Amino acid sequence: MKIIMIAYMGIYLIVTILATAYSYFQTKRMNRFCLFLSLSICLLLLVVLFFYSQGYHPLQMLGFALGFTLISSLFLYNGTREGTQFMYTFLFSTGRFLLHLQFLILLYIFR
């Protein structure tokens, strides 16, 4: 199950990077600073995931929680800028929050 969780997190990172690229290049809603932060947070999650695959340490959960929280905050910030409907942004952010909670619980269970 640990291998499945690592693959699941790998897919999550790919989707997050693609969403960041789409938001920056296609919609032009994300500025360079947010792009840099998003890619930095993805790098943080990748490093934590690498060490998670080597062996479990309780500080890894802190790294995952911090990364997930910052990614959610950045996408919520980008979604609530002018010209968007708050309800859709809120629903997507709620879904992302529930997904991140699920990740944390499953990563802890299958440590």
Side-chain angles (χ1 to χ4, degrees):
M1 282 305 278
K2 186 176 183 176
I3 294 171
I4 292 173
M5 286 308 303
I6 292 169
Y8 197 35
M9 277 297 302
I11 292 169
Y12 169 80
L13 284 170
I14 291 169
V15 168
T16 302
I17 290 170
L18 290 175
T20 301
Y22 179 80
S23 182
Y24 180 75
F25 293 112
Q26 192 70 20
T27 65
K28 308 284 188 206
R29 294 188 54 77
M30 184 178 281
N31 58 30
R32 284 187 187 155
F33 181 67
C34 288
L35 174 70
F36 173 74
L37 283 177
S38 296
L39 294 178
S40 298
I41 294 165
C42 286
L43 181 64
L44 167 74
L45 287 173
L46 185 64
V47 168
V48 173
L49 182 62
F50 172 75
F51 286 111
Y52 176 82
S53 68
Q54 301 299 315
Y56 176 76
H57 191 276
L59 283 178
Q60 292 164 346
M61 290 299 116
L62 180 63
F64 282 125
L66 181 66
F68 292 152
T69 302
L70 292 174
I71 286 288
S72 288
S73 301
L74 281 170
F75 276 94
L76 179 62
Y77 167 74
N78 281 325
T80 55
R81 293 171 61 196
E82 63 213 41
T84 61
Q85 294 185 358
F86 180 75
M87 189 55 134
Y88 292 124
T89 303
F90 183 75
L91 288 174
F92 279 126
S93 293
T94 303
R96 188 177 290 114
F97 176 71
L98 293 175
L99 177 70
H100 291 166
L101 283 179
Q102 173 193 1
F103 275 147
L104 284 175
I105 292 168
L106 291 175
L107 285 166
Y108 180 73
I109 289 172
F110 298 116
R111 59 183 187 258

